[in-house]
């Protein structure tokens, strides 16, 4: 039976005898992508802690906080028995209402996902900092699927000298290329087919990697063919700074894309080298 803790005090008490800890923060609605993080975590420490918490602080007005899927029993059913679950109610993490103290995600935090979702990354970093303080893990495991989140968490850990190793696991995809996401369940059949344009656009960019210009041209061609996909952004960023690369840049890039398919907003990314 998976052990589930709802309070910070009871979790901390349990972790006193847990040995080394690898931590996987999630918002639940667990899929194979999360399970890949858990499997990685199992190889990294004596004990794996998974948090399941839909963090209101990282949802803006009019976003999908209310409809975000919540089914603790379904989540527990897919987790290995040995994992420790931390599933606090909102008032355990925010007893005084929304936190007045926030971690700033800086300039990068207001670009791309941050431009479309103002405040999202400050809210995300704030809860990740809180969870790291609560769990005090040796290593924390994130998925590359949320590339900007990974960049910002790594930078926060460095900037604030948080004593944890950040481990990143490759994006898990369906056989047809669609990156796994808790939001995929909102896609109708036709939308699911249309959503494949995101991973195809990234593949096209990687295949035309002579320059930023050519790579973006190739990906726009793919996206323009799919009239039901509303592109929010597609860009090539330098993985070291998360800033867009120039046209003469050569070296590693992360191609990032966000698009609305029906009422569902999806993101994806792919890493490759520009010649
Ligand atoms: O990636 C997520 O699911 C969330 O942003 C996280 C890291 C669990 C913080 O709420």
């Amino acid at each position: 039976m998976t052990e589930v803790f709802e309070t910070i005090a009871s979790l901390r008490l349990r972790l006193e005898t847990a040995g080394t800890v690898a931590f996987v923060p999630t918002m639940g609605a667990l899929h194979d992508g999360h399970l890949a993080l858990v499997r990685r975590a199992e190889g990294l420490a004596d004990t794996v802690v998974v948090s399941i918490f839909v963090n209101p602080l990282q949802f803006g007005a009019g976003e999908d906080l209310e409809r975000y899927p919540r089914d603790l029993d379904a989540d527990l059913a897919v987790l290995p028995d040995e994992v420790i679950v931390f599933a606090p109610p909102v008032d355990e993490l925010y007893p005084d209402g929304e936190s007045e103290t926030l971690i700033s995600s800086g300039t990068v935090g207001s670009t791309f996902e941050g431009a479309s979702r103002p405040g999202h990354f400050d809210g995300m970093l704030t809860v990740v900092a809180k969870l790291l303080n609560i769990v005090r893990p040796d290593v924390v495991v994130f998925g590359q699927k949320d590339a900007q989140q990974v960049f910002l968490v790594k930078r926060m850990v460095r900037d604030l000298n948080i004593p944890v190793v950040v481990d990143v696991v490759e994006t898990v995809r369906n056989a047809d290329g669609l990156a796994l996401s808790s939001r995929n369940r909102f896609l109708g059949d036709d939308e699911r087919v249309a959503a494949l344009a995101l991973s195809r656009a990234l593949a096209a960019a990687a295949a035309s990697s002579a320059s930023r210009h050519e790579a973006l041209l190739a990906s726009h061609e793919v996206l323009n063919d799919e009239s039901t996909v509303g592109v929010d952004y597609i860009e090539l960023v330098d993985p070291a700074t998360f800033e867009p690369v120039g046209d003469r840049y050569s070296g590693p890039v992360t191609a990032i894309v966000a698009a609305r398919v029906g009422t569902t907003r999806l993101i994806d990314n792919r890493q490759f080298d520009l010649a």
Side-chain angles (χ1 to χ4, degrees), residues 21 27 202 258 260 270:
V21 172
M27 297 204 302
L202 296 172
R260 198 164 279 282
R270 182 170 173 141

Side-chain angles (χ1 to χ4, degrees), residues 4 13 33 44 101 158 162 170 180 229 249-250 252 262-263:
V4 182
L13 196 63
L44 295 174
T101 306
R158 233 178 19 250
I162 300 177
E170 268 314 301
L180 297 196
V229 174
Y249 175 90
S250 68
T263 55

Side-chain angles (χ1 to χ4, degrees), residues 30-270:
L30 302 180
H31 51 64
D32 283 349
H34 296 109
L35 298 183
L37 307 185
V38 171
R39 275 194 301 278
R40 170 71 70 87
E42 284 177 326
L44 295 174
D46 302 327
T47 300
V48 174
V49 175
V50 175
S51 64
I52 297 179
F53 180 68
V54 181
N55 173 35
L57 211 57
Q58 68 189 74
F59 288 78
E63 287 191 16
D64 57 356
L65 174 62
E66 302 310 329
R67 82 161 178 167
Y68 202 86
R70 294 167 176 83
D71 186 345
L72 183 60
D73 289 339
D75 288 339
L76 295 178
V78 297
L79 284 171
D81 284 351
E82 318 72 58
V83 160
I84 290 179
V85 170
F86 179 48
V90 171
D91 60 3
E92 180 69 7
L93 282 204
Y94 300 115
D96 305 319
E98 279 200 0
S99 180
E100 288 285 330
T101 306
L102 293 174
I103 305 268
S104 166
S105 54
T107 315
V108 171
S110 60
T111 60
F112 304 118
E113 281 308 283
S116 299
R117 308 182 60 190
H120 166 68
F121 284 126
D122 291 0
M124 180 280 292
L125 287 180
T126 303
V127 84
V128 170
K130 283 168 74 70
L131 290 168
L132 291 175
N133 280 332
I134 291 164
V135 178
R136 297 180 197 147
D138 299 276
V139 48
V140 62
V141 184
F142 282 90
Q144 174 61 24
K145 157 89 177 10
D146 295 298
Q148 197 172 2
Q149 168 168 285
V150 165
F151 174 88
L152 290 168
V153 167
K154 280 185 170 172
R155 194 178 62 178
M156 172 180 77
V157 162
R158 233 178 19 250
D159 284 352
L160 301 185
N161 304 97
I162 300 177
V164 71
V165 172
V166 181
D167 195 86
V168 181
V169 173
E170 268 314 301
T171 303
V172 179
R173 298 178 182 281
N174 283 120
D176 57 13
L178 185 67
L180 297 196
S181 162
S182 302
R183 290 185 169 97
N184 290 352
R185 67 187 68 193
F186 299 136
L187 299 171
D189 290 348
D190 291 349
E191 290 171 346
R192 202 193 164 290
V193 173
L196 295 176
L198 275 75
S199 54
R200 280 210 316 274
L202 296 172
S208 313
S209 56
S211 70
R212 168 182 178 272
H213 180 72
E214 297 213 352
L216 288 182
L217 213 59
S219 52
H220 276 297
E221 261 176 35
V222 173
L223 291 165
N224 291 344
D225 269 356
E226 201 54 76
S227 58
T228 56
V229 174
V231 181
D232 183 355
Y233 59 77
I234 177 147
E235 189 48 274
L236 305 187
V237 298
D238 181 340
T241 60
F242 222 84
E243 285 170 9
V245 299
D247 275 332
R248 292 176 172 208
Y249 175 90
S250 68
V253 289
T254 307
I256 53 172
V257 63
R260 198 164 279 282
V261 184
T263 55
T264 306
R265 195 161 181 288
L266 299 175
I267 60 172
D268 198 356
N269 71 88
R270 182 170 173 141

